Every structure is written in structure tokens, then in C-alpha cells.
Amino acid sequence: MEVFMTEFNKDDFMENAQGMLVPKSQIKPIDLLRNDVVNNLIAKAKVQSEQIKSFKEFAFDEIAQFISISAEQYNLKTKGKKGNVTLISFDGRYKIERAYADKIAFDEQLQIAKEKIYECIQSWSAGANSKLISMVNFAFQTDKKGQVSADRILGLRRLKIQDEKWLEAMMALSESINVVSSKGYVRFYERIGDSDSWKPIPLNIAAD
């Protein structure tokens, strides 16, 4: 049995979301136009994204280089690539902020800290402050992924409680912290008139 293969021009077909080739003649004009609009904008967005990425890398390098030059005036050697810093133009009209945010994770000692904290609450019994109990319970709540909020957990360390078990719990809490990554940010601002307020110069669509 012979099988006859019909040659076809791939330009006459488009692949749909299911991976099937659909003749363009069977696709509605509005669907073709929508596809063109999406692909054209995505192509331009990718170019803009690369330009912003390159500019941010350039900005970090420029700031680091300036910090190194500034440090040399005091006979210090630094690469200037870490730490938060704010740079303001001579006329006070523009401001640049470079900041680093650490992403942290907790190891098994967090569970030890949690148990010691609840031991404190139990030992305080009826004398325990109900607001404090609610705060502790809230701090250890997990999200849908079973993760705790680092901000809420670390907020417990700001409570000024002079109790031996509590202090042991805070020590265990501190020792459970591990910095797993650090992300740098650079932000640009322009002063609003002669006020003390600053207006950010957005580098992304959502910020405008």
C-alpha cells in the first residue's frame, strides 16, 4: 500500500497551544491580529528588559567604583560591592540608593526556639499577656507552602522580655538564621520641587 505525502508550505500553518498545526486560512483574522500584537510587543519587551538589566549592572559597577575611589582618600582598599549606600547630587536634586536584602532560612534550631518560647508561656500561666501569646502564635503561622514569615519570626527578638528561658529561646532563634542569598537593588529619585520629598524614577512598567 502506497502512502502519498503531500508537500505543504509551513508558512501557511500556525501551531496552536496544543502543538497542532492549523491552516492560517482556518484562523479568524482577529486571532491572527492578536497573535501579531502579542508577539511584536513581547519581542520589544525582551529588548527593553535586556537594556534595563544592562543598565542596572552598569549602575552597580559605577557605584562600586566610586566607593572604591572615595575610600582611597582615606588609604582604605575596598571593592565597594557590598553594603547599603545613598548618593546625592551636589545640588541635592537627585538621589541614588543602593541596598542589599538578604534572603534567610531557618534551620532545625527554630523548632527548639519555638518549644522554649511555649515553655515560657506555660510557666507564666495565667500571668501571661494574651496579646503576647497571640503574637507568638501569629509569628509561627505557616503559609500554604508550610513556610513561616521571617519578618514575623524576627520580630519576636525585638520584644524586651527579661526571662531566662525567653533569652535562651531568642539565642536559639538567632542561631537558626542562615543567609541563603543576597539581592541587590538600586533606586533612583528626583526631589519634588524644594520639598524634602523624593519622587522615584521608575525602571519598570508597574511602578509608573
Side-chain angles (χ1 to χ4, degrees):
M1 179 178 180
E2 295 185 10
V3 177
F4 295 94
M5 300 294 293
T6 303
E7 291 186 3
F8 65 91
N9 188 346
K10 289 191 296 184
D11 293 336
D12 294 333
F13 292 79
M14 289 179 61
E15 184 176 330
N16 65 12
Q18 289 74 43
M20 298 173 58
L21 291 178
V22 181
K24 287 185 178 180
S25 59
Q26 296 180 13
I27 302 175
K28 295 179 181 179
I30 191 64
D31 293 336
L32 291 172
L33 179 59
R34 182 188 304 108
N35 182 71
D36 289 342
V37 169
V38 170
N39 282 301
N40 288 338
L41 286 177
I42 289 295
K44 293 181 183 299
K46 287 183 176 181
V47 172
Q48 293 296 320
S49 178
E50 284 300 315
Q51 290 179 347
I52 290 175
K53 180 181 177 181
S54 296
F55 171 70
K56 287 184 176 180
E57 291 175 351
F58 171 77
F60 273 105
D61 289 342
E62 286 285 290
I63 294 170
Q65 184 176 357
F66 169 76
I67 293 173
S68 296
I69 293 173
S70 182
E72 288 175 1
Q73 298 180 85
Y74 302 94
N75 297 318
L76 294 175
K77 291 185 178 180
T78 175
K79 294 182 178 179
K81 293 184 177 181
K82 289 293 182 180
N84 299 343
V85 65
T86 298
L87 305 177
I88 300 178
S89 63
F90 187 75
D91 61 4
R93 185 166 181 78
Y94 300 107
K95 177 175 70 172
I96 300 174
E97 291 182 348
R98 185 194 69 180
Y100 285 89
D102 292 333
K103 183 178 180 181
I104 66 174
F106 299 99
D107 60 25
E108 79 289 344
Q109 293 192 77
L110 179 64
Q111 186 62 32
I112 296 173
K114 180 179 179 181
E115 292 177 2
K116 284 188 172 293
I117 288 172
Y118 281 107
E119 282 181 10
C120 288
I121 293 176
Q122 290 176 357
S123 66
W124 296 336
S125 187
N129 188 306
S130 60
K131 290 184 178 180
L132 174 60
I133 295 174
S134 297
M135 184 183 297
V136 171
N137 288 335
F138 180 67
F140 283 99
Q141 281 184 358
T142 58
D143 58 21
K144 294 181 180 179
K145 296 181 180 180
Q147 302 294 318
V148 295
S149 167
D151 289 339
R152 294 203 300 260
I153 292 291
L154 297 179
L156 295 176
R157 298 193 304 176
R158 292 193 289 270
L159 299 176
K160 296 181 179 180
I161 299 176
Q162 298 303 317
D163 180 281
E164 185 177 350
K165 287 185 177 180
W166 180 269
L167 296 177
E168 288 177 355
M170 293 303 100
M171 183 178 295
L173 179 57
S174 297
E175 292 177 352
S176 73
I177 300 171
N178 293 285
V179 178
V180 295
S181 64
S182 183
K183 187 174 183 180
Y185 299 88
V186 60
R187 297 182 176 92
F188 304 86
Y189 300 88
E190 181 177 6
R191 190 182 295 279
I192 300 175
D194 296 326
S195 70
D196 293 330
S197 300
W198 299 88
K199 177 179 68 175
I201 300 172
L203 291 179
N204 60 74
I205 295 173
D208 194 3

